[in-house]
Amino acid sequence: MIQDFASGGVLELRHSESESRRFGFGVARLLVPIGPLHSDDAIISLVKQSSSTLIILRAESSRVSLFRELQSLDDFEFLHADTLCYYKWEVRNNGHVDERETHVVIDHGIAWNDIDQVLTESFREYTNHYSLNRRLSAGVTLAAYQEWAAGLMKNPQNVTLVARDRKTDQVVGFILLMIDSLRSTAEVALNAVRPESQRSGVYSILMTSAREYIARETDIRDLFISSQIGNTAVIEAWKKLGLKPYLSLNTLHLMRRVAFDDPDGR
């Protein structure tokens, strides 16, 4: 999440229990805070000290020298798995959704089964950094998002907004908002619209409703959202709504060669 990359944050390599369980070997995450505080040498040292089979590292896309050094490590196979781009929306310029003029009704506090149905339909063929790694089991992307969404919904600080079709009462889309009052940050952690309801305005209504909720219920002034840089359709939708680019992060997979019995990295 965006707060993981706050300038001046702690550099820490963390074991990922959920990903280790999912793949059947040790997985750690290393999220590098933005700015010059943490040197390339400090980051490389953490990587070398780790005993994890896979390290998922995210750092600002501008850290070219760091990526070059990581790629040259003999003990690891290196993969640039994706580029994640963050956009920011100023909440104070909030617009209002008049539901009387839309074909959907916005609601919250919905059952998991309704969310899961939309999630399954929307993410069945979705590709992310897992999908691009041939070392990982196929078909894990959907399961990962399902597990993540279920966990987010259990946090009482987070908010789930859903769009219901006005005629059928069917849930056609949702947004999971991650709200951190202590750090005054809000982020769209996950969102989806049923394939048959896409390009019908549902996504824009959900986004504007999320912004409106934050303006009404909190003192937070910025809403963040992220996606893979190749997801051009959704990025264009953000631009039309007035969101601005904020941060670009490279996602790297560092795989310990000896664990895969492949000293040449083939």
Side-chain angles (χ1 to χ4, degrees):
M1 311 310 290
I2 190 64
Q3 59 262 36
D4 294 324
F5 302 96
S7 179
V10 176
L11 182 68
E12 182 181 7
L13 193 145
R14 301 176 184 173
H15 174 72
S16 174
E17 182 62 38
S18 60
E19 288 169 315
S20 298
R21 183 176 65 253
R22 189 176 301 134
F23 296 119
F25 50 75
V27 180
R29 285 200 168 229
L30 181 54
L31 308 179
V32 181
I34 61 176
L37 178 62
H38 302 292
S39 68
D40 291 357
D41 288 344
I43 297 165
I44 297 292
S45 177
L46 276 179
V47 170
K48 288 181 175 179
Q49 292 171 24
S50 173
S51 60
S52 298
T53 299
L54 168 64
I55 298 172
I56 299 174
L57 183 149
R58 275 192 169 135
E60 284 180 276
S61 301
S62 59
R63 298 198 67 152
V64 177
S65 63
L66 170 63
F67 305 142
R68 188 182 302 116
E69 287 191 54
L70 289 169
Q71 193 168 11
S72 68
L73 293 177
D74 293 334
D75 293 337
F76 293 90
E77 182 179 351
F78 174 98
L79 172 68
H80 177 193
D82 75 14
T83 297
L84 189 70
C85 55
Y86 267 96
Y87 275 64
K88 182 174 75 170
W89 209 5
E90 293 185 5
V91 173
R92 67 171 178 266
N93 295 325
N94 182 59
H96 176 66
V97 177
D98 188 346
E99 291 186 13
R100 295 171 300 178
E101 299 179 1
T102 69
H103 60 290
V104 295
V105 177
I106 302 300
D107 193 7
H108 60 85
I110 199 67
W112 164 249
N113 286 343
D114 288 328
I115 297 296
D116 192 30
Q117 287 178 9
V118 178
L119 185 63
T120 300
E121 290 183 19
S122 303
F123 281 84
R124 186 178 289 116
E125 304 299 328
Y126 190 77
T127 59
N128 67 357
H129 64 99
Y130 295 142
S131 315
L132 297 176
N133 189 340
R134 62 190 177 91
R135 299 293 194 188
L136 303 182
S137 304
V140 299
T141 298
L142 176 58
Y145 281 120
Q146 287 172 317
E147 183 177 357
W148 188 28
L152 288 170
M153 290 182 70
K154 293 176 182 176
N155 187 327
Q157 277 202 91
N158 299 335
V159 175
T160 306
L161 298 180
V162 299
R164 289 184 177 275
D165 185 276
R166 191 176 291 276
K167 293 182 179 179
T168 66
D169 202 40
Q170 181 188 46
V171 175
V172 295
F174 72 87
I175 277 185
L176 282 174
L177 284 173
M178 192 170 183
I179 298 175
D180 188 336
S181 300
L182 291 176
R183 300 182 185 179
S184 295
T185 60
E187 182 171 344
V188 176
L190 194 62
N191 60 101
V193 175
R194 288 184 188 271
E196 65 269 22
S197 298
Q198 293 174 5
R199 297 178 178 83
S200 66
V202 173
Y203 183 74
S204 294
I205 293 168
L206 277 167
M207 285 286 291
T208 305
S209 297
R211 189 190 198 195
E212 185 179 85
Y213 177 90
I214 293 166
R216 183 178 67 248
E217 301 293 336
T218 78
D219 295 325
I220 295 170
R221 287 292 167 258
D222 292 309
L223 174 61
F224 294 93
I225 191 169
S226 65
S227 187
Q228 284 76 25
I229 198 169
N231 196 357
T232 54
V234 91
I235 291 173
E236 285 303 313
W238 296 345
K239 291 177 179 178
K240 289 179 181 178
L241 286 168
L243 282 76
K244 303 297 182 183
Y246 177 75
L247 179 64
S248 176
L249 300 163
N250 282 354
T251 305
L252 310 177
H253 286 193
L254 302 167
M255 296 157 282
R256 195 169 295 281
R257 295 188 191 277
V258 68
F260 290 102
D261 289 326
D262 192 358
D264 296 322
R266 292 189 296 270

